[in-house]
Amino acid sequence: MRKVRPVDKLIITVAPTGAWPTKKDTPYVPLTPREIAEEVYRSWNAGAAIAHIHVRDDDGKPSMNFDKFREVVELVRQKCDIILNLTTSGGLVFDDETRMRPFTELKPEMASYDCGSMNWMHSSVFLNPPDFLEKLGKRMQEVGVKPEIEVFDTGMIYNSLYYLNRGILTPPLHYQFVMGAPGGIAATHKNLLHLVESIPGDSTWSVIGIGKNQLAMSVMALTMGGHVRVGMEDNVYLSKGVLAKSNQEFVEKIVRLAREVGREVATPDEAREILRLRKPSQQS
Ligand code: ZN
């Protein structure tokens, strides 16, 4: 039986921007490098240990522009010690090298590893073909970046085990379950339990509930010993009909809930230990 790890402190990831929310969805979504860095800093002050970063072009569209990533990374590193986790998707149209360049050159401690392809929002395809996943896993090992294995459906866990067996991923794995995205697994309690029971026993895991599912999945993870991601990439409402004015508010809400259920919140350094990230001194 898989051991629950209730002793781990809670790692809160903030995903302030994502690829999709626009200023029409919420005027509060940060889009420029300065806005993104400021929101990361506010979220770190509130208790976030990891920041998952996307950037936008000057029109606010999904982007993998290297200079924008560099600007965000530099600004955040000047302000705080939060763990940086750069996206490797950024949208649906970018080539492999464009997807890998930000983490290859900027060397964050983590980057996302979307462990399979899927139909996206009933309108397009999110491509992560086998040759890309092989290249991505090898490159992450070469540059010392820990993959955050994003799982949109149960089959992606078994895909990750294939790459683990081939040495393209190395243990212990860290999973991010994305639940409630159209085209992916539904955000139900039973499904989350099933996902957690399907991963290797020495893994760590975190959950994202998309939209109105964010709170229920977060609360379940708090009491199961898992970790939590919040932020405008996944959900723009703090409560029904109420837009969050800052990503910081999502983090504060999770910190309050964690306190109530007796779960301590991890600092970035504590998260580095839990996730066994390389030492910050090894950063270049
Ligand atoms: Zn993302």
Side-chain angles (χ1 to χ4, degrees), residues 51-66:
H52 172 72
I53 303 294
H54 286 246
V55 297
R56 304 292 183 90
D57 65 16
D58 291 335
D59 299 323
K61 300 240 165 44
S63 173
M64 285 302 286
N65 181 293
F66 179 77

Side-chain angles (χ1 to χ4, degrees), residues 21-160:
T22 66
K23 293 279 186 191
K24 278 185 195 149
D25 298 313
T26 172
Y28 307 110
V29 63
L31 300 182
T32 67
R34 271 193 190 282
E35 287 173 345
I36 294 167
E38 182 58 29
E39 280 286 284
V40 167
Y41 177 65
R42 294 178 70 172
S43 300
W44 170 80
N45 263 325
I50 303 176
H52 172 72
I53 303 294
H54 286 246
V55 297
R56 304 292 183 90
D57 65 16
D58 291 335
D59 299 323
K61 300 240 165 44
S63 173
M64 285 302 286
N65 181 293
F66 179 77
D67 291 332
K68 301 271 189 204
F69 274 102
R70 183 167 54 198
E71 203 178 336
V72 173
V73 167
E74 283 172 0
L75 287 170
V76 171
R77 282 178 175 160
Q78 283 164 18
K79 285 169 183 275
C80 62
D81 71 341
I82 199 163
I83 296 164
L84 285 165
N85 168 342
L86 304 187
T87 184
T88 58
S89 58
L92 301 169
V93 297
F94 303 108
D95 65 44
D96 294 357
E97 279 306 318
T98 305
R99 292 174 67 172
M100 294 194 289
R101 187 178 171 204
F103 81 78
T104 301
E105 295 190 27
L106 299 171
K107 295 190 173 54
E109 290 167 85
M110 303 179 79
S112 56
Y113 186 98
D114 294 286
C115 210
S117 301
M118 64 184 289
N119 283 0
W120 185 253
M121 301 283 175
H122 310 303
S123 60
S124 51
V125 182
F126 180 24
L127 281 172
N128 295 288
D131 65 330
F132 176 63
L133 291 181
E134 286 194 24
K135 264 192 281 189
L136 183 61
K138 286 178 187 163
R139 180 76 64 84
M140 285 179 165
Q141 283 192 46
E142 281 163 26
V143 297
V145 168
K146 176 143 182 164
E148 177 206 46
I149 301 169
E150 292 196 343
V151 160
F152 289 78
D153 220 329
T154 316
M156 293 191 190
I157 291 177
Y158 295 94
N159 218 18
S160 73

Side-chain angles (χ1 to χ4, degrees), residues 12-17 28-30 35-48 50 82 214 230-233 235-238 243-257:
I12 302 173
T13 298
V14 66
T17 302
Y28 307 110
V29 63
E35 287 173 345
I36 294 167
E38 182 58 29
E39 280 286 284
V40 167
Y41 177 65
R42 294 178 70 172
S43 300
W44 170 80
N45 263 325
I50 303 176
I82 199 163
Q214 190 168 70
V230 291
M232 294 185 193
E233 174 164 352
N235 169 39
V236 296
Y237 291 102
L238 189 62
L243 290 171
K245 291 196 170 56
S246 163
N247 283 275
Q248 170 192 359
E249 295 183 336
F250 289 117
V251 178
E252 287 169 346
K253 187 166 177 173
I254 294 297
V255 169
R256 284 197 301 275
L257 290 162

